[in-house]
Amino acid sequence: MGVDMVQLNNNHVYDYGKVALLDTLDTLENAGIEYFGAGHNLEEAMNAVYVTLDDKVVAFVGNILAVKNPMQLQPIFNQVRARYDGNLKFWIVGDGKLRKEVESVIATDPSIDVKFWGNLPSEQMPSIMNVIDVLVLPSLNEGLPLVCVEAITCGANVVASATGGIAEVIGAENTVALDDDFVPNMAQKVVNYLKAPSEQVLSSDFSWTEAASRELQELTLCLSTRILRPKA
């Protein structure tokens, strides 16, 4: 259809009642079309949808704490800006103890256009993720970062430090060693994706369908074992 977004806050959206409106929402969601101005409840109807035209967006999403290595964002953003000629914006989504320090450092660098979003409601995050072109995660340590799964699911590319379980999510080829060349190496990987985006595919281990299937198998096995166990 060539439709990317639909505005629903108009005086005819409820002409055919609640069922028709909810059916419209489901149809748009199944088609992958963003909408705003209406929703399944008031909170959803008030959610904003963010669209950046012509610009590429490089973002960090997470707590602004020491373990996330946020002081490396400014030099990474700076080098990405220096190596990429197109329109470019940088976002930092999240909050934490080091936010003011990060803001102060970034404020000294006029070459980078950075927006601090602070903490956002979880229901607003898909709209944010769908705008991001490349997510950067320079963490010093991670477990299995859900933010990487979310970003890839929303179509973003992800570049991150080679620590914890990150490589299991995004692939070792998209990770960067935490060594003396960490900043330039990460910046280059980001630029590569800005110039030539490519789909990053999650392992089936991160599929809700697969997880539910495995859970069902385990529950069935447990119940079968309990049923077949002879009474004492």
Side-chain angles (χ1 to χ4, degrees), residues 53 59 83-84 108 119 140 164 170 203 210 221:
L53 300 177
R83 302 179 188 196
Y84 182 73
T108 66
N119 286 329
L140 297 175
I170 69 173
S203 163
E210 290 291 330
L221 178 61

Side-chain angles (χ1 to χ4, degrees), residues 115-176:
K115 179 177 178 63
F116 284 82
W117 288 91
N119 286 329
L120 295 174
S122 58
E123 61 270 15
Q124 202 169 325
M125 289 308 299
S127 297
I128 289 288
M129 288 291 196
N130 278 314
V131 180
I132 295 171
D133 293 284
V134 184
L135 179 81
V136 297
L137 191 65
S139 301
L140 297 175
N141 192 25
E142 284 285 350
L144 203 64
L146 182 59
V147 68
C148 294
V149 178
E150 294 169 339
I152 291 173
T153 301
C154 289
N157 289 123
V158 180
V159 177
S161 49
T163 187
I166 292 177
E168 296 179 46
V169 181
I170 69 173
E173 69 278 9
N174 296 304
T175 64
V176 180

